[in-house]
Amino acid sequence: MSTPAPGLLASVTDLHEMELARAGGADIVDLKQPAFGALGAWSTDALAAAFMLWNAWGEQLGEAGRPALSATIGDQPMVPALIRAAAERVARTGVPLVKIGLSASQHTNECIEALAPLASRTRLIGVLFADEAPDFTVLAALGRAGFAGVMIDTADKKAGSLTEHLDPLTLGQFVAEARRHGLITGLAGSLRLEDIPTLVGVGADYLGFRGALCEGGRTGTLDPVRLGQVHARLREPSDH
């Protein structure tokens, strides 16, 4: 049985890279500053400019012709008030998908509950970290709070890729459990071209890339040729 190809999430650092990602077929253009950490955030002014560009795409290409737009809130401590304030800051710029890192902490559930009011009016994506022994019981809490989706990423980019921390069986369980709670799913974390065939079989909705798309690693510059290679590999038929 053939598994549907996952969408391509491409993380970008500026408006020029946004345009390259759109032209290269990204399904989600993800606004992130890798130099500032795993989920480094764009400034408010830059987010507002990105939202204007994304709106212009909608006028040129129509809703169906443009990719989705997401942005990270930055690497935040697991303090409910701080997480909520950071998420509100990004949501106010109009960016429709807001990504929130949920580090392993005894306060994670409180942070999720604090975000429930925002989740009722903005699509929130929780991000768990494969290198922090993620607790999949939080998926139920994300579903209850009204989150739109959940991703697994890696926090320490020097500690290896997603597939070095979690095997395909565990990732498949994550996807199945997330779906049970009504969440769209994504996998990311220093993914390489050769990780794609294995991860396509896991069945997540999206695979996220940065380093594999760049000349000079994740803090380098987006390379349209590399983006094209990832896009093509994702579209290759696979049987599982």
Side-chain angles (χ1 to χ4, degrees):
M1 190 181 111
S2 137
T3 309
L8 166 57
L9 177 148
S11 292
V12 302
T13 60
D14 57 31
L15 300 182
H16 173 61
E17 287 193 352
M18 267 183 81
E19 289 283 16
L20 292 178
R22 183 193 63 74
D27 298 290
I28 299 181
V29 174
D30 177 50
L31 312 176
K32 184 156 79 171
Q33 282 296 355
F36 302 153
L39 292 179
W42 282 35
S43 71
T44 304
D45 287 351
L47 287 171
F51 180 64
M52 285 172 66
L53 175 57
W54 183 72
N55 271 338
W57 290 349
E59 286 161 23
Q60 292 158 11
L61 308 164
E63 270 311 305
R66 69 174 171 180
L69 185 68
S70 66
T72 63
I73 68 164
D75 291 325
Q76 305 292 338
M78 288 290 99
V79 177
L82 293 179
I83 288 258
R84 178 151 175 197
E88 294 270 12
R89 174 187 80 86
V90 174
R92 272 196 300 272
T93 65
V95 171
L97 287 166
V98 178
K99 285 172 60 187
I100 297 156
L102 299 169
S103 303
S105 157
Q106 62 198 41
H107 302 296
T108 304
N109 279 345
E110 291 165 54
C111 291
I112 292 168
E113 283 164 27
L115 289 162
L118 180 59
S120 68
R121 56 183 195 274
T122 298
R123 299 182 75 204
L124 302 184
I125 309 292
V127 182
L128 310 181
F129 296 104
D131 46 345
E132 293 184 353
D135 175 7
F136 294 164
T137 62
V138 304
L139 298 174
L142 292 173
R144 278 196 304 273
F147 273 60
V150 63
M151 293 187 70
I152 294 194
D153 201 336
T154 52
D156 180 357
K157 300 301 174 185
K158 296 185 183 70
S161 74
L162 174 71
T163 50
E164 290 169 65
H165 294 286
L166 297 174
D167 59 68
L169 185 65
T170 307
L171 293 171
Q173 289 167 339
F174 159 76
V175 168
E177 181 68 8
R179 290 242 165 88
R180 216 162 63 76
H181 295 290
L183 301 164
I184 57 173
T185 53
L187 305 176
S190 305
L191 300 185
R192 303 169 297 246
L193 207 54
E194 56 268 28
D195 292 322
I196 292 173
T198 304
L199 292 178
V200 164
V202 169
D205 297 303
Y206 295 94
L207 296 183
F209 297 88
R210 173 64 194 171
L213 309 180
C214 293
E215 189 68 55
R218 65 191 294 273
T219 54
T221 50
L222 195 75
D223 174 10
V225 174
R226 290 170 196 237
L227 174 59
Q229 289 169 337
V230 169
H231 186 267
R233 183 68 67 91
L234 279 170
R235 295 293 174 270
E236 280 172 12
S238 67
D239 292 304
H240 295 278

